[in-house]
Amino acid sequence: MDPYMTQLLTLSNSTTKTILYYYWCSFNGFVAKLTENEADKMAGVVGVISVLPDEKRQLLTREVERQNYESDVIVGVIDSGIWPESKSFNDKGFSPPPAKWKGSCQAFDFTCNNKIIGAKFYPPLHHNALSSKDIESPRDSSGHGTHTTSTVEFR
């Protein structure tokens, strides 16, 4: 068990504290229900960078009417692929790609448009890295690339 978690468990007079979630990929941390006094004690533990209260926040995403913004910005995404039929990639109102674009659409199972202006499958370095549901195509088979690509927004 993580030493900070062990210290947390001993901060209170209660016999048990419930760890609600433990993070270890991006940073080391955890979520727990604490009293204000316990949170103050935890903040004083050597090695603890911060103790933050859980707060209800207003979402920053919103639906907006898309206007026809012209831009010569090209965004490249290297991920698990893209699902071009997703409504996020509808190119209605988009002009053709900028003249500086020198890429290509190397997809046998879909056609690029004025929003997805290029696509290419890069084979993995290891021959057994593809799963049975992967496609040797820039088409997304897991949804991850489609999701991350759809978060690009221009203003």
mmCIF file of all heavy atoms in Angstrom, residues 1-38:
data_model
loop_
_atom_site.group_PDB
_atom_site.id
_atom_site.type_symbol
_atom_site.label_atom_id
_atom_site.label_comp_id
_atom_site.label_asym_id
_atom_site.label_seq_id
_atom_site.Cartn_x
_atom_site.Cartn_y
_atom_site.Cartn_z
ATOM 1 N N MET A 1 0.846 -1.186 0.000
ATOM 2 C CA MET A 1 0.000 0.000 0.000
ATOM 3 C C MET A 1 0.888 1.245 0.000
ATOM 4 O O MET A 1 1.938 1.267 0.612
ATOM 5 C CB MET A 1 -0.915 -0.018 1.231
ATOM 6 C CG MET A 1 -1.831 1.193 1.294
ATOM 7 S SD MET A 1 -2.894 1.226 2.754
ATOM 8 C CE MET A 1 -4.186 0.159 2.199
ATOM 9 N N ASP A 2 0.461 2.261 -0.667
ATOM 10 C CA ASP A 2 1.170 3.532 -0.743
ATOM 11 C C ASP A 2 1.362 4.119 0.655
ATOM 12 O O ASP A 2 0.445 4.111 1.465
ATOM 13 C CB ASP A 2 0.339 4.481 -1.620
ATOM 14 C CG ASP A 2 1.036 5.783 -1.879
ATOM 15 O OD1 ASP A 2 1.047 6.617 -0.953
ATOM 16 O OD2 ASP A 2 1.537 5.968 -2.993
ATOM 17 N N PRO A 3 2.563 4.666 0.972
ATOM 18 C CA PRO A 3 2.797 5.209 2.315
ATOM 19 C C PRO A 3 1.876 6.374 2.658
ATOM 20 O O PRO A 3 1.503 6.552 3.817
ATOM 21 C CB PRO A 3 4.257 5.651 2.279
ATOM 22 C CG PRO A 3 4.662 5.677 0.861
ATOM 23 C CD PRO A 3 3.741 4.756 0.131
ATOM 24 N N TYR A 4 1.494 7.183 1.694
ATOM 25 C CA TYR A 4 0.580 8.295 1.972
ATOM 26 C C TYR A 4 -0.800 7.781 2.324
ATOM 27 O O TYR A 4 -1.487 8.331 3.160
ATOM 28 C CB TYR A 4 0.519 9.264 0.796
ATOM 29 C CG TYR A 4 1.851 9.914 0.534
ATOM 30 C CD1 TYR A 4 2.478 9.783 -0.685
ATOM 31 C CD2 TYR A 4 2.510 10.626 1.534
ATOM 32 C CE1 TYR A 4 3.713 10.355 -0.914
ATOM 33 C CE2 TYR A 4 3.743 11.199 1.321
ATOM 34 C CZ TYR A 4 4.342 11.065 0.090
ATOM 35 O OH TYR A 4 5.558 11.628 -0.128
ATOM 36 N N MET A 5 -1.193 6.712 1.658
ATOM 37 C CA MET A 5 -2.487 6.122 1.984
ATOM 38 C C MET A 5 -2.457 5.575 3.406
ATOM 39 O O MET A 5 -3.407 5.719 4.161
ATOM 40 C CB MET A 5 -2.846 5.024 0.988
ATOM 41 C CG MET A 5 -3.213 5.566 -0.379
ATOM 42 S SD MET A 5 -3.544 4.288 -1.593
ATOM 43 C CE MET A 5 -4.953 3.478 -0.917
ATOM 44 N N THR A 6 -1.344 4.961 3.776
ATOM 45 C CA THR A 6 -1.210 4.436 5.138
ATOM 46 C C THR A 6 -1.311 5.571 6.153
ATOM 47 O O THR A 6 -2.000 5.452 7.161
ATOM 48 C CB THR A 6 0.147 3.708 5.293
ATOM 49 O OG1 THR A 6 0.224 2.694 4.289
ATOM 50 C CG2 THR A 6 0.268 3.076 6.665
ATOM 51 N N GLN A 7 -0.638 6.708 5.882
ATOM 52 C CA GLN A 7 -0.723 7.859 6.781
ATOM 53 C C GLN A 7 -2.151 8.387 6.846
ATOM 54 O O GLN A 7 -2.627 8.756 7.908
ATOM 55 C CB GLN A 7 0.224 8.963 6.329
ATOM 56 C CG GLN A 7 1.671 8.648 6.656
ATOM 57 C CD GLN A 7 2.575 9.807 6.279
ATOM 58 O OE1 GLN A 7 2.674 10.134 5.116
ATOM 59 N NE2 GLN A 7 3.199 10.396 7.273
ATOM 60 N N LEU A 8 -2.822 8.412 5.717
ATOM 61 C CA LEU A 8 -4.201 8.888 5.694
ATOM 62 C C LEU A 8 -5.065 8.032 6.601
ATOM 63 O O LEU A 8 -5.871 8.536 7.364
ATOM 64 C CB LEU A 8 -4.755 8.859 4.265
ATOM 65 C CG LEU A 8 -6.264 9.075 4.137
ATOM 66 C CD1 LEU A 8 -6.611 10.506 4.523
ATOM 67 C CD2 LEU A 8 -6.727 8.769 2.751
ATOM 68 N N LEU A 9 -4.877 6.747 6.535
ATOM 69 C CA LEU A 9 -5.707 5.841 7.310
ATOM 70 C C LEU A 9 -5.503 6.018 8.808
ATOM 71 O O LEU A 9 -6.367 5.681 9.607
ATOM 72 C CB LEU A 9 -5.424 4.391 6.903
ATOM 73 C CG LEU A 9 -5.804 4.054 5.461
ATOM 74 C CD1 LEU A 9 -5.320 2.659 5.100
ATOM 75 C CD2 LEU A 9 -7.296 4.178 5.238
ATOM 76 N N THR A 10 -4.357 6.561 9.213
ATOM 77 C CA THR A 10 -4.088 6.745 10.639
ATOM 78 C C THR A 10 -4.379 8.169 11.112
ATOM 79 O O THR A 10 -4.163 8.477 12.274
ATOM 80 C CB THR A 10 -2.611 6.404 10.947
ATOM 81 O OG1 THR A 10 -1.778 7.293 10.205
ATOM 82 C CG2 THR A 10 -2.298 4.968 10.590
ATOM 83 N N LEU A 11 -4.858 9.050 10.242
ATOM 84 C CA LEU A 11 -5.114 10.437 10.627
ATOM 85 C C LEU A 11 -6.351 10.603 11.502
ATOM 86 O O LEU A 11 -6.478 11.570 12.219
ATOM 87 C CB LEU A 11 -5.296 11.309 9.382
ATOM 88 C CG LEU A 11 -4.045 11.582 8.571
ATOM 89 C CD1 LEU A 11 -4.399 12.342 7.312
ATOM 90 C CD2 LEU A 11 -3.041 12.376 9.389
ATOM 91 N N SER A 12 -7.245 9.711 11.399
ATOM 92 C CA SER A 12 -8.545 9.877 12.024
ATOM 93 C C SER A 12 -8.695 8.953 13.223
ATOM 94 O O SER A 12 -8.006 7.954 13.350
ATOM 95 C CB SER A 12 -9.607 9.571 10.968
ATOM 96 O OG SER A 12 -10.813 9.220 11.557
ATOM 97 N N ASN A 13 -9.628 9.297 14.080
ATOM 98 C CA ASN A 13 -9.952 8.429 15.214
ATOM 99 C C ASN A 13 -10.773 7.232 14.762
ATOM 100 O O ASN A 13 -10.843 6.232 15.450
ATOM 101 C CB ASN A 13 -10.740 9.204 16.281
ATOM 102 C CG ASN A 13 -9.878 10.262 16.932
ATOM 103 O OD1 ASN A 13 -8.658 10.140 16.957
ATOM 104 N ND2 ASN A 13 -10.509 11.302 17.464
ATOM 105 N N SER A 14 -11.414 7.356 13.586
ATOM 106 C CA SER A 14 -12.225 6.245 13.103
ATOM 107 C C SER A 14 -11.314 5.095 12.707
ATOM 108 O O SER A 14 -10.161 5.279 12.368
ATOM 109 C CB SER A 14 -13.098 6.674 11.924
ATOM 110 O OG SER A 14 -12.295 6.991 10.814
ATOM 111 N N THR A 15 -11.848 3.890 12.749
ATOM 112 C CA THR A 15 -11.018 2.722 12.486
ATOM 113 C C THR A 15 -10.729 2.537 11.009
ATOM 114 O O THR A 15 -9.723 1.956 10.656
ATOM 115 C CB THR A 15 -11.701 1.452 13.035
ATOM 116 O OG1 THR A 15 -13.003 1.374 12.473
ATOM 117 C CG2 THR A 15 -11.766 1.483 14.549
ATOM 118 N N THR A 16 -11.601 3.021 10.136
ATOM 119 C CA THR A 16 -11.350 2.858 8.705
ATOM 120 C C THR A 16 -11.710 4.127 7.948
ATOM 121 O O THR A 16 -12.606 4.864 8.340
ATOM 122 C CB THR A 16 -12.178 1.699 8.098
ATOM 123 O OG1 THR A 16 -13.552 1.994 8.260
ATOM 124 C CG2 THR A 16 -11.824 0.373 8.733
ATOM 125 N N LYS A 17 -10.975 4.369 6.902
ATOM 126 C CA LYS A 17 -11.279 5.429 5.948
ATOM 127 C C LYS A 17 -11.440 4.749 4.608
ATOM 128 O O LYS A 17 -10.694 3.840 4.273
ATOM 129 C CB LYS A 17 -10.138 6.449 5.856
ATOM 130 C CG LYS A 17 -10.173 7.474 6.939
ATOM 131 C CD LYS A 17 -11.304 8.433 6.659
ATOM 132 C CE LYS A 17 -11.547 9.328 7.822
ATOM 133 N NZ LYS A 17 -12.844 9.927 7.813
ATOM 134 N N THR A 18 -12.380 5.212 3.833
ATOM 135 C CA THR A 18 -12.600 4.614 2.531
ATOM 136 C C THR A 18 -11.859 5.405 1.463
ATOM 137 O O THR A 18 -12.096 6.595 1.298
ATOM 138 C CB THR A 18 -14.106 4.591 2.197
ATOM 139 O OG1 THR A 18 -14.777 3.862 3.214
ATOM 140 C CG2 THR A 18 -14.346 3.940 0.849
ATOM 141 N N ILE A 19 -10.952 4.743 0.783
ATOM 142 C CA ILE A 19 -10.300 5.338 -0.381
ATOM 143 C C ILE A 19 -11.270 5.124 -1.535
ATOM 144 O O ILE A 19 -11.621 3.986 -1.872
ATOM 145 C CB ILE A 19 -8.946 4.654 -0.691
ATOM 146 C CG1 ILE A 19 -8.000 4.740 0.519
ATOM 147 C CG2 ILE A 19 -8.323 5.249 -1.941
ATOM 148 C CD1 ILE A 19 -7.607 6.131 0.913
ATOM 149 N N LEU A 20 -11.728 6.219 -2.122
ATOM 150 C CA LEU A 20 -12.714 6.106 -3.192
ATOM 151 C C LEU A 20 -12.084 5.802 -4.536
ATOM 152 O O LEU A 20 -12.671 5.112 -5.366
ATOM 153 C CB LEU A 20 -13.527 7.403 -3.282
ATOM 154 C CG LEU A 20 -14.267 7.791 -1.997
ATOM 155 C CD1 LEU A 20 -14.943 9.142 -2.174
ATOM 156 C CD2 LEU A 20 -15.271 6.723 -1.620
ATOM 157 N N TYR A 21 -10.889 6.347 -4.783
ATOM 158 C CA TYR A 21 -10.217 6.109 -6.060
ATOM 159 C C TYR A 21 -8.738 6.381 -5.888
ATOM 160 O O TYR A 21 -8.360 7.285 -5.137
ATOM 161 C CB TYR A 21 -10.791 7.013 -7.161
ATOM 162 C CG TYR A 21 -10.396 6.557 -8.534
ATOM 163 C CD1 TYR A 21 -11.108 5.564 -9.187
ATOM 164 C CD2 TYR A 21 -9.283 7.100 -9.171
ATOM 165 C CE1 TYR A 21 -10.721 5.126 -10.439
ATOM 166 C CE2 TYR A 21 -8.898 6.668 -10.422
ATOM 167 C CZ TYR A 21 -9.625 5.673 -11.048
ATOM 168 O OH TYR A 21 -9.238 5.245 -12.280
ATOM 169 N N TYR A 22 -7.918 5.610 -6.562
ATOM 170 C CA TYR A 22 -6.474 5.790 -6.504
ATOM 171 C C TYR A 22 -5.945 6.039 -7.917
ATOM 172 O O TYR A 22 -6.287 5.309 -8.836
ATOM 173 C CB TYR A 22 -5.811 4.547 -5.900
ATOM 174 C CG TYR A 22 -4.331 4.715 -5.697
ATOM 175 C CD1 TYR A 22 -3.843 5.594 -4.747
ATOM 176 C CD2 TYR A 22 -3.416 4.020 -6.468
ATOM 177 C CE1 TYR A 22 -2.486 5.773 -4.560
ATOM 178 C CE2 TYR A 22 -2.057 4.192 -6.288
ATOM 179 C CZ TYR A 22 -1.603 5.063 -5.329
ATOM 180 O OH TYR A 22 -0.259 5.248 -5.161
ATOM 181 N N TYR A 23 -5.158 7.085 -8.110
ATOM 182 C CA TYR A 23 -4.587 7.442 -9.406
ATOM 183 C C TYR A 23 -3.116 7.047 -9.431
ATOM 184 O O TYR A 23 -2.395 7.319 -8.479
ATOM 185 C CB TYR A 23 -4.680 8.956 -9.641
ATOM 186 C CG TYR A 23 -6.091 9.483 -9.622
ATOM 187 C CD1 TYR A 23 -6.644 9.990 -8.451
ATOM 188 C CD2 TYR A 23 -6.862 9.477 -10.771
ATOM 189 C CE1 TYR A 23 -7.935 10.472 -8.421
ATOM 190 C CE2 TYR A 23 -8.156 9.968 -10.747
ATOM 191 C CZ TYR A 23 -8.684 10.462 -9.575
ATOM 192 O OH TYR A 23 -9.960 10.943 -9.560
ATOM 193 N N TRP A 24 -2.663 6.464 -10.549
ATOM 194 C CA TRP A 24 -1.253 6.103 -10.630
ATOM 195 C C TRP A 24 -0.657 6.285 -12.020
ATOM 196 O O TRP A 24 0.547 6.199 -12.195
ATOM 197 C CB TRP A 24 -1.019 4.663 -10.162
ATOM 198 C CG TRP A 24 -1.695 3.668 -11.057
ATOM 199 C CD1 TRP A 24 -1.173 3.080 -12.165
ATOM 200 C CD2 TRP A 24 -3.011 3.167 -10.938
ATOM 201 N NE1 TRP A 24 -2.090 2.262 -12.750
ATOM 202 C CE2 TRP A 24 -3.230 2.278 -12.015
ATOM 203 C CE3 TRP A 24 -4.046 3.369 -10.031
ATOM 204 C CZ2 TRP A 24 -4.424 1.610 -12.195
ATOM 205 C CZ3 TRP A 24 -5.222 2.698 -10.232
ATOM 206 C CH2 TRP A 24 -5.404 1.843 -11.290
ATOM 207 N N CYS A 25 -1.446 6.603 -13.022
ATOM 208 C CA CYS A 25 -0.906 6.719 -14.385
ATOM 209 C C CYS A 25 -0.273 8.090 -14.635
ATOM 210 O O CYS A 25 0.885 8.178 -14.978
ATOM 211 C CB CYS A 25 -2.002 6.456 -15.416
ATOM 212 S SG CYS A 25 -2.545 4.750 -15.430
ATOM 213 N N SER A 26 -1.022 9.150 -14.488
ATOM 214 C CA SER A 26 -0.519 10.490 -14.780
ATOM 215 C C SER A 26 0.192 11.095 -13.585
ATOM 216 O O SER A 26 1.131 11.855 -13.732
ATOM 217 C CB SER A 26 -1.656 11.418 -15.178
ATOM 218 O OG SER A 26 -2.298 10.926 -16.323
ATOM 219 N N PHE A 27 -0.279 10.793 -12.408
ATOM 220 C CA PHE A 27 0.324 11.288 -11.177
ATOM 221 C C PHE A 27 -0.110 10.335 -10.070
ATOM 222 O O PHE A 27 -1.017 9.536 -10.242
ATOM 223 C CB PHE A 27 -0.114 12.717 -10.866
ATOM 224 C CG PHE A 27 -1.603 12.882 -10.682
ATOM 225 C CD1 PHE A 27 -2.181 12.792 -9.424
ATOM 226 C CD2 PHE A 27 -2.424 13.121 -11.776
ATOM 227 C CE1 PHE A 27 -3.545 12.933 -9.255
ATOM 228 C CE2 PHE A 27 -3.791 13.264 -11.613
ATOM 229 C CZ PHE A 27 -4.351 13.171 -10.350
ATOM 230 N N ASN A 28 0.550 10.415 -8.933
ATOM 231 C CA ASN A 28 0.167 9.576 -7.798
ATOM 232 C C ASN A 28 -0.753 10.362 -6.897
ATOM 233 O O ASN A 28 -0.427 11.466 -6.471
ATOM 234 C CB ASN A 28 1.403 9.119 -7.022
ATOM 235 C CG ASN A 28 2.224 8.128 -7.806
ATOM 236 O OD1 ASN A 28 1.683 7.299 -8.519
ATOM 237 N ND2 ASN A 28 3.523 8.215 -7.690
ATOM 238 N N GLY A 29 -1.892 9.798 -6.603
ATOM 239 C CA GLY A 29 -2.844 10.467 -5.742
ATOM 240 C C GLY A 29 -4.032 9.574 -5.478
ATOM 241 O O GLY A 29 -4.117 8.465 -5.993
ATOM 242 N N PHE A 30 -4.945 10.069 -4.673
ATOM 243 C CA PHE A 30 -6.142 9.304 -4.387
ATOM 244 C C PHE A 30 -7.270 10.228 -3.975
ATOM 245 O O PHE A 30 -7.058 11.404 -3.672
ATOM 246 C CB PHE A 30 -5.895 8.239 -3.299
ATOM 247 C CG PHE A 30 -5.320 8.789 -2.027
ATOM 248 C CD1 PHE A 30 -6.146 9.231 -1.003
ATOM 249 C CD2 PHE A 30 -3.947 8.852 -1.850
ATOM 250 C CE1 PHE A 30 -5.607 9.737 0.163
ATOM 251 C CE2 PHE A 30 -3.412 9.348 -0.683
ATOM 252 C CZ PHE A 30 -4.242 9.794 0.328
ATOM 253 N N VAL A 31 -8.467 9.679 -3.960
ATOM 254 C CA VAL A 31 -9.667 10.397 -3.535
ATOM 255 C C VAL A 31 -10.170 9.694 -2.287
ATOM 256 O O VAL A 31 -10.261 8.468 -2.256
ATOM 257 C CB VAL A 31 -10.758 10.348 -4.634
ATOM 258 C CG1 VAL A 31 -12.041 10.997 -4.152
ATOM 259 C CG2 VAL A 31 -10.259 10.992 -5.912
ATOM 260 N N ALA A 32 -10.463 10.468 -1.253
ATOM 261 C CA ALA A 32 -10.980 9.889 -0.015
ATOM 262 C C ALA A 32 -11.920 10.879 0.647
ATOM 263 O O ALA A 32 -11.811 12.090 0.449
ATOM 264 C CB ALA A 32 -9.827 9.555 0.933
ATOM 265 N N LYS A 33 -12.846 10.365 1.455
ATOM 266 C CA LYS A 33 -13.722 11.235 2.235
ATOM 267 C C LYS A 33 -12.993 11.576 3.522
ATOM 268 O O LYS A 33 -12.631 10.696 4.298
ATOM 269 C CB LYS A 33 -15.040 10.526 2.549
ATOM 270 C CG LYS A 33 -15.958 10.424 1.367
ATOM 271 C CD LYS A 33 -17.317 9.900 1.775
ATOM 272 C CE LYS A 33 -18.231 9.891 0.570
ATOM 273 N NZ LYS A 33 -19.597 9.521 0.950
ATOM 274 N N LEU A 34 -12.751 12.872 3.737
ATOM 275 C CA LEU A 34 -12.034 13.338 4.917
ATOM 276 C C LEU A 34 -12.807 14.462 5.592
ATOM 277 O O LEU A 34 -13.506 15.232 4.923
ATOM 278 C CB LEU A 34 -10.652 13.885 4.528
ATOM 279 C CG LEU A 34 -9.689 12.976 3.807
ATOM 280 C CD1 LEU A 34 -8.452 13.761 3.375
ATOM 281 C CD2 LEU A 34 -9.303 11.813 4.687
ATOM 282 N N THR A 35 -12.618 14.577 6.878
ATOM 283 C CA THR A 35 -13.132 15.752 7.573
ATOM 284 C C THR A 35 -12.176 16.892 7.257
ATOM 285 O O THR A 35 -11.065 16.680 6.747
ATOM 286 C CB THR A 35 -13.172 15.530 9.096
ATOM 287 O OG1 THR A 35 -11.826 15.385 9.562
ATOM 288 C CG2 THR A 35 -14.009 14.318 9.463
ATOM 289 N N GLU A 36 -12.571 18.120 7.572
ATOM 290 C CA GLU A 36 -11.692 19.265 7.332
ATOM 291 C C GLU A 36 -10.389 19.123 8.132
ATOM 292 O O GLU A 36 -9.304 19.414 7.640
ATOM 293 C CB GLU A 36 -12.411 20.559 7.713
ATOM 294 C CG GLU A 36 -11.677 21.800 7.266
ATOM 295 C CD GLU A 36 -12.495 23.066 7.476
ATOM 296 O OE1 GLU A 36 -13.739 23.013 7.410
ATOM 297 O OE2 GLU A 36 -11.859 24.107 7.708
ATOM 298 N N ASN A 37 -10.482 18.636 9.363
ATOM 299 C CA ASN A 37 -9.310 18.432 10.206
ATOM 300 C C ASN A 37 -8.370 17.385 9.586
ATOM 301 O O ASN A 37 -7.154 17.562 9.549
ATOM 302 C CB ASN A 37 -9.748 18.007 11.618
ATOM 303 C CG ASN A 37 -8.569 17.914 12.570
ATOM 304 O OD1 ASN A 37 -7.674 18.753 12.545
ATOM 305 N ND2 ASN A 37 -8.590 16.894 13.418
ATOM 306 N N GLU A 38 -8.937 16.291 9.089
ATOM 307 C CA GLU A 38 -8.122 15.248 8.458
ATOM 308 C C GLU A 38 -7.437 15.780 7.198
ATOM 309 O O GLU A 38 -6.269 15.468 6.941
ATOM 310 C CB GLU A 38 -8.992 14.032 8.116
ATOM 311 C CG GLU A 38 -9.480 13.281 9.331
ATOM 312 C CD GLU A 38 -10.584 12.292 9.016
ATOM 313 O OE1 GLU A 38 -11.293 12.470 7.998
ATOM 314 O OE2 GLU A 38 -10.742 11.340 9.787
#
